[in-house]
Amino acid sequence: NSLASKKDLAENSLEQTSTLLDSTPDPIIIIDNSGTILLSNLQTQQVFGYSKEELVGQKVEVLIPERFKGNHVSHRTSFFKAPKTRSMGSGHELFAKRRDVKEVPVEVSLSPIKIGEEIWVSAAIRDVSARRLEEIKLNQLVSIIDSSADAIVSKKLDGTILTWNKAAEKILGYTTEEVVSRNVSQIIPPDLLEEEKMVMERIALGETVSQNETLRVRKDNKTIHVSITLSPIRDTKGNIWAVSTILRDITKQKQEQAEEEPPKLFQNH
C-alpha cells in the first residue's frame, strides 16, 4: 500500500544514517505531507513511551496534547506550503504528549527533506523538562534575592560583577545595568583595594568570610560602613569560579555607636 511504499522509501533513503539517528540524544521523527509518521528513532521510545513500530502510520498529532491538536493541523498544513528549517518552543510554552498522556515541555527543530517528488519533514524533539525545572528554581531564587533587605551581589574571581539585586541598587545607588559586567572596584575605596585582593584570595581557597566590616563607596561618592559575608560559588565539578557577597549597610549603627561613646578626653579618667 501507499504507506508501506513510503516507509520502504524512507528506510532506503535513510539506510546509511539510521544508526546515526538512533545515536542522537533527542527523539527524531520523520513525517510526510499528510502528517503521517514514517520513521522514528530509539530516543522517541525512551521519551514518549512508544516503540518505533507503534508510531509508524499514526498522525503526528498523537504526540500533541488535546488542547493543541486543532491548531497544530493548520500549522502543519501551512508549514508544508512553504517548508523551511525552523525552531519552535524556545522562549515559548510548547508541549508534547507521552503515551501515558503526561505532558512534556519541548523544543522542536523542523527540517524539510526532499525525497523524489515529495517533501517530508524531520522533527528533532528536545525534552526540556530538566531545564524548565531549573528555570523555575532560578526564578524562585531570584524572587527571594530581590526581596532581601541586604545587597546580594555575585562576581567572578577577577571582580567582574555578574548579578546585582534590588537592595544593592538601593544601598549603593547603581542600577543593575550600570554595574553588571563592570569591576567591583568601582564601589571600593582606593585604599581598601589591597584588602579586597586579600579577601578574594581567601575565597579562592574555599574560605567563607563572615561579617567582615569595611567601607564601600556609593554612586553619589558617599562612603558607607558595611558588613559583608562572602562565600565561594562552585561549578558542577566543584571548582570555585565566582563569589557570592551579602552586604548590609551598617552606617546608621556606626553613627549611633559613635554618639554613645564618651569623649576620648575623659576615657582614661
Side-chain angles (χ1 to χ4, degrees), residues 115-129:
I115 303 294
E117 298 300 315
E118 293 195 52
I119 297 292
W120 296 344
V121 172
S122 168
I125 309 166
R126 174 157 295 178
D127 179 356
V128 294
S129 301

Side-chain angles (χ1 to χ4, degrees), residues 2 10 20 59 62 65 70 73 78 89 93 107 120 147 165 170 179 189 196 209 243 246 261:
S2 176
L20 179 61
K59 295 293 186 182
V62 70
V73 172
S78 297
E93 294 292 313
E107 291 177 358
W120 296 344
S147 66
N165 75 337
K170 182 178 179 181
V179 293
E196 172 73 4
V209 178
V243 181
I246 300 176
E261 291 181 357

Side-chain angles (χ1 to χ4, degrees), residues 7 14 29 34 45 49 56 60 62 93 96 116 150 162 168 176 179 186 191 200 202 207 224-225 259 267:
K7 181 174 179 296
L14 298 175
I29 59 173
S34 71
Q45 179 176 347
V56 171
V60 68
V62 70
E93 294 292 313
D150 294 332
L162 300 171
T176 299
V179 293
Q186 73 182 73
D191 58 342
M200 292 296 284
R202 292 171 60 187
E207 290 187 44
I224 59 174
H225 291 269
E259 290 170 0
Q267 282 185 354

